[in-house]
Amino acid sequence: MKLSIIVPFYNMAADGKLTYCMDSLVHQTLRKEMEILAVDDCSADHTFSLLKEYEARYPGRVRAFRTPENRKQGGARNLGLDMACGEWVGFLDGDDWAAPDMYEKLLQKAEETGADVVGCDLHQTDEHSMKIGRILNANTMDQTGVLDGEKYGRLVRNPCSMVIKIYKKEVLDRCHLRFPEGIFYEDNCAGPVWMLHFTHFEKVEEPLYYYYQDPASTTHYISETKCRDRMRAGELLVKQFRECGFYETYETDLAFAFAKLYYVNTLFTYVIGVRPAKLSFLRELRQGILHYFPDFRDNPYFQREYDREQKKLVNLHIKSPLLFLLYYRALTAYRVLRRRVRSGMFF
């Protein structure tokens, strides 16, 4: 078996999402050289019965599994990894889908170059179709080729999505690479660590993965729990770098990746999406980033990545979470008022 594709599903029976995803896989041009491991993460609907129908319809090509309890995507993916028979492993999210020749092209690139991990670009869409949506360029070409210290550093800072890649399974098993379980953002933690175990990365410069943007999706719903999961993913990232012996070599790269995942993304998504924002949470977040990387604002990649306004807000939050919260509320109210005036809502 050349390739195993692992797809976690959770309450995906409605609206044809599961069907569209699975159909894109069973109709891949790779066909007989590929197996699909569909993992129902203890859904409350009839997701598993639909997956069993695919298993019956495509014997030997589709295998359906069900977790005994909800383990989030990381746990479902780990179950699939334990069951996978392919020389290569890839992942697909249950509400996304793949171009018909995606996996054939990725494997072909691997065979041509000798790479042990291969990726592609993706496009974003809000409809179930094979039309090209907004193209999102993923990994850059200066990250590809035989990997060295400089390229590893770039991949730590920006590993990009794991679902647009295939990985040599022998490396995953030999290095005991698996996902954190029971949290969201498990791939944000696993992605940088995994890439440091591979030796040659290549990319197909085509958007072959369809990333579906559904406003009702759990990935777009912000809660304090999800923000804490992102913080937990950051903590696990640091822990794994230490355990694997990567911390000292890539400390500057890790500090940036951690600050982005644990702190900056959490700070802004929290104040935008969680109502009411709690001062206690903002204080905890400040304490956490200063505990792990107290000098993160001096990091050259942090300085380069964020604009003046973002750095101003970060500096204010580090100085005083209370002042940050009051300022952010006033700024938001001002921007809402300005939009209303410009749209003529008050006239």
Side-chain angles (χ1 to χ4, degrees):
M1 182 70 65
K2 283 278 190 181
L3 175 66
S4 299
I5 299 299
I6 300 166
V7 195
F9 293 96
Y10 179 67
N11 291 344
M12 296 289 291
D15 303 324
K17 293 178 183 177
L18 182 153
T19 301
Y20 207 86
C21 173
M22 289 296 294
D23 284 350
S24 79
L25 292 175
V26 297
H27 295 124
Q28 285 287 305
T29 54
L30 204 58
R31 298 286 169 124
K32 295 180 181 179
E33 297 177 283
M34 171 180 144
E35 65 172 358
I36 303 152
L37 283 72
V39 184
D40 172 35
D41 191 22
C42 201
S43 297
D45 63 5
H46 60 286
T47 290
F48 189 57
S49 63
L50 288 178
L51 296 179
K52 292 299 285 184
E53 290 177 15
Y54 273 92
E55 184 179 59
R57 218 181 312 160
Y58 300 96
R61 294 180 56 201
V62 175
R63 292 194 283 157
F65 303 93
R66 180 179 171 86
T67 60
E69 67 281 324
N70 183 260
R71 295 163 59 181
K72 300 287 194 301
Q73 286 205 140
R77 287 172 171 173
N78 287 343
L79 175 60
L81 280 170
D82 292 340
M83 301 295 180
C85 299
E87 298 174 34
W88 293 80
V89 175
F91 306 96
L92 189 81
D93 286 342
D95 52 356
D96 298 336
W97 57 97
D101 55 356
M102 173 175 171
Y103 295 110
E104 182 179 14
K105 287 184 174 179
L106 294 183
L107 275 179
Q108 183 178 0
K109 175 65 76 171
E111 291 168 355
E112 290 172 352
T113 62
D116 50 12
V117 56
V118 180
C120 64
D121 290 323
L122 66 162
H123 33 95
Q124 182 177 304
T125 180
D126 59 2
E127 64 177 56
H128 286 88
S129 76
M130 286 294 178
K131 293 191 298 185
I132 299 295
R134 183 167 73 90
I135 295 177
L136 304 175
N137 294 318
N139 293 99
T140 54
M141 295 308 293
D142 63 2
Q143 294 175 307
T144 63
V146 176
L147 299 176
D148 55 21
E150 187 174 346
K151 290 180 180 180
Y152 280 130
R154 293 190 186 114
L155 288 166
V156 170
R157 300 192 302 271
N158 184 31
C160 290
S161 176
M162 299 183 74
V163 294
I164 55 174
K165 297 180 176 71
I166 58 171
Y167 301 86
K168 202 72 176 286
K169 189 170 187 292
E170 182 273 329
V171 178
L172 301 183
D173 293 340
R174 173 168 45 85
C175 300
H176 309 290
L177 298 177
R178 292 296 186 268
F179 291 93
E181 299 191 14
I183 63 171
F184 293 102
Y185 310 110
E186 76 291 336
D187 51 345
N188 288 268
C189 172
V193 178
W194 282 31
M195 292 305 293
L196 290 174
H197 289 84
F198 289 86
T199 60
H200 188 166
F201 172 49
E202 291 293 344
K203 174 187 172 184
V204 177
E205 292 188 273
E206 293 182 52
L208 301 172
Y209 187 97
Y210 288 78
Y211 175 41
Y212 181 56
Q213 292 283 275
D214 180 1
S217 170
T218 56
T219 59
H220 299 96
Y221 172 71
I222 303 301
S223 66
E224 183 174 322
T225 298
K226 292 186 71 173
C227 288
R228 290 188 179 280
D229 278 356
R230 186 185 274 119
M231 294 164 68
R232 179 60 179 154
E235 292 169 342
L236 289 171
L237 181 63
V238 172
K239 181 175 183 286
Q240 290 186 46
F241 264 66
R242 286 188 170 129
E243 290 175 346
C244 295
F246 298 140
Y247 188 94
E248 291 184 3
T249 304
Y250 299 103
E251 183 176 0
T252 302
D253 307 291
L254 173 62
F256 169 74
F258 178 87
K260 186 175 183 179
L261 170 61
Y262 177 99
Y263 177 70
V264 180
N265 287 352
T266 304
L267 176 64
F268 291 123
T269 56
Y270 180 79
V271 294
I272 290 170
V274 178
R275 295 289 185 271
K278 297 176 184 176
L279 184 58
S280 59
F281 179 87
L282 294 173
R283 285 173 173 157
E284 182 183 342
L285 184 61
R286 174 186 181 275
Q287 182 180 358
I289 183 64
L290 293 180
H291 168 74
Y292 281 97
F293 294 102
D295 300 323
F296 76 97
R297 288 176 290 172
D298 298 327
N299 186 289
Y301 305 116
F302 178 88
Q303 288 292 326
R304 191 183 309 165
E305 174 83 4
Y306 296 104
D307 61 31
R308 185 176 178 181
E309 177 67 16
Q310 291 168 325
K311 285 185 276 193
K312 176 183 175 181
L313 289 169
V314 164
N315 288 334
L316 183 57
H317 176 252
I318 295 298
K319 179 180 179 181
S320 169
L322 176 59
L323 289 177
F324 166 82
L325 184 58
L326 293 174
Y327 176 82
Y328 192 85
R329 285 174 176 170
L331 181 64
T332 301
Y334 167 72
R335 287 175 174 170
V336 170
L337 178 62
R338 186 174 61 179
R339 283 197 300 269
R340 288 179 177 176
V341 170
R342 286 180 174 177
S343 64
M345 289 180 66
F346 292 128
F347 300 96

